[in-house]
Amino acid sequence: MFKYISRRSLFIVTGILILSLLNANLIFASAKTSEKGFNVLFIIIDDLRSQLGCYGQKKMITPNIDRIASEGVIFSRSYCQFPACGASRASLFTGIRPTKSRFVNYYTYAEKDAPNAVTLGEHFRENVYHTVANGKVFHHNDDSTQSWSEPHYQPDGHWRDYLLEENIKLEKDGSGPAYECADVTDIAYKDGRTVDKSIEDLKRLSKTDKFFFLTVGIVKPHLPFNAPKKYWEMYPLEKIDLADNPFLAKDAPDSAFHNWDELRGYDGIPKKGPMPDEKARKLIQGYYACTTYADAQIGRLLDTLEDLGIKDNTAIVLLGDHGWNLGEQTLWAKHCNFDTSLRTPLMFSVPGMQKLFCAQ
Ligand SMILES: [Ca+2]
């Protein structure tokens, strides 16, 4: 049985991870031959809600994330510091809070807003770890590159990653759709290739004499909700439930709400007014499909740890950068201070960690 631990903020992730390693005298392990050390596989997922089986909800199919949770510690109330990619990640990886002038939007560069901060990756690198970043880790690939022992890997292709010709044309003409269902393999989309690269890294790094800190940034379920057809088919449209609170929160100020501009810009989305129910249902289906696609990629990483025989000396951390609204409080996207936007999963699976965090 996994344990639930409540925490109020993702801000503490950096501190918890580093302190737990220090407490176990792991940071100072000089080489992989030390019995006290272990590798770290750090998985960060874009825009991931806490609507997972391991959080007691059954709407999305995520057996691999649930697998990590079942073997470790799950944080039942973890919240991001800022509900947008760049600012949240900059705060997370520097361990520094946002202010009115620091870490203020999705486009934040950690190294510009906090030039003297030691990043999490940098700290590992300075303490005998080999550090690697694949996919979306910081919001910008060229942010805080001193964190990594080798160049940051990003798969080729446009970030919106359409595969269907009609959608590529729409994107060239202005803006593509908010979702895509293509009958393709997992590696046709970028996250599959990020994980391919990460699997090769695991094979390579498992043979070296240094521990590794491997960060893998999975972009889905970020918009647009593009995923292979087989994941869409796991969620029949007629069984998709709409949000049960699609109304303004009582007594909340106007500033609590926004016009979900991130989503409005996509083809086929109304430019103003509420989301039609059928479109809402399709978007929720797409978000779920993308989450299960992301989960399947994580499963490939977990299987590789087992195949290589390094699971027992590898700590796994999984978290999202913030949540996402699927029609709750009239809202879509993030960028608000409601629970659905600020809350995001956080879990650790570390050899021996239950002794560190949980009193049985
Ligand atoms: Ca994000």
Side-chain angles (χ1 to χ4, degrees), residues 46-47 85 321-322:
D46 221 353
D47 296 16
C85 304
D321 62 350
H322 49 75

Side-chain angles (χ1 to χ4, degrees), residues 36-57:
K36 293 181 178 177
F38 47 69
N39 307 301
V40 179
L41 173 60
F42 190 102
I43 303 167
I44 183 165
I45 306 177
D46 221 353
D47 296 16
L48 184 64
R49 290 162 61 100
S50 296
Q51 193 182 35
L52 308 172
C54 57
Y55 279 88
Q57 300 196 36

Side-chain angles (χ1 to χ4, degrees), residues 134-149:
N134 294 329
K136 184 173 175 180
V137 180
F138 285 96
H139 185 70
H140 307 276
N141 293 344
D142 58 348
D143 190 359
S144 305
T145 55
Q146 79 280 7
S147 306
W148 316 120
S149 304

Side-chain angles (χ1 to χ4, degrees), residues 17-246:
L17 179 59
I18 292 174
L19 284 174
S20 63
L21 295 176
L22 283 170
N23 286 342
N25 293 319
L26 299 174
I27 282 290
F28 301 107
S30 60
K32 200 179 281 185
T33 51
S34 166
E35 293 181 357
K36 293 181 178 177
F38 47 69
N39 307 301
V40 179
L41 173 60
F42 190 102
I43 303 167
I44 183 165
I45 306 177
D46 221 353
D47 296 16
L48 184 64
R49 290 162 61 100
S50 296
Q51 193 182 35
L52 308 172
C54 57
Y55 279 88
Q57 300 196 36
K58 304 296 182 187
K59 295 197 172 181
M60 293 197 288
I61 301 166
T62 56
N64 296 294
I65 296 175
D66 296 349
R67 193 165 133 199
I68 297 171
S70 70
E71 296 173 352
V73 174
I74 186 168
F75 291 73
S76 61
R77 297 187 66 184
S78 68
Y79 296 84
C80 69
Q81 289 287 60
F82 195 105
C85 304
S88 173
R89 290 163 188 254
S91 178
L92 172 71
F93 285 110
T94 60
I96 297 174
R97 290 190 179 93
T99 66
K100 288 183 179 179
S101 60
R102 180 180 63 209
F103 307 158
V104 296
N105 57 33
Y106 82 96
Y107 204 70
T108 293
Y109 269 86
E111 66 182 12
K112 291 180 180 175
D113 285 16
N116 298 317
V118 176
T119 69
L120 183 60
E122 189 177 1
H123 186 79
F124 272 92
R125 189 180 183 188
E126 290 177 349
N127 288 279
V128 307
Y129 276 73
H130 188 85
T131 61
V132 177
N134 294 329
K136 184 173 175 180
V137 180
F138 285 96
H139 185 70
H140 307 276
N141 293 344
D142 58 348
D143 190 359
S144 305
T145 55
Q146 79 280 7
S147 306
W148 316 120
S149 304
E150 45 192 84
H152 188 152
Y153 169 80
Q154 187 66 259
D156 292 337
H158 189 279
W159 74 268
R160 287 191 170 175
D161 205 15
Y162 296 113
L163 296 179
L164 300 180
E165 284 302 321
E166 61 266 34
N167 294 339
I168 293 170
K169 183 175 186 310
L170 278 170
E171 178 68 16
K172 283 181 179 172
D173 292 345
S175 184
Y179 46 81
E180 174 179 277
C181 172
D183 193 3
V184 296
T185 64
D186 285 11
I187 60 169
Y189 287 114
K190 292 176 69 173
D191 283 333
R193 301 199 293 283
T194 295
V195 168
D196 270 1
K197 162 68 164 55
S198 302
I199 288 171
E200 291 307 309
D201 287 343
L202 288 171
K203 292 176 181 174
R204 173 172 56 92
L205 298 171
S206 66
K207 296 174 183 169
T208 67
D209 62 357
K210 288 181 88 173
F211 290 108
F212 62 77
F213 177 70
L214 173 60
T215 56
V216 183
I218 304 291
V219 176
K220 294 304 156 193
H222 193 290
L223 279 170
F225 301 147
N226 302 346
K229 182 181 177 184
K230 64 180 178 181
Y231 299 104
W232 285 82
E233 291 176 341
M234 297 168 78
Y235 299 99
L237 195 59
E238 64 275 14
K239 293 186 178 178
I240 297 290
D241 294 325
L242 300 179
D244 58 9
N245 60 341

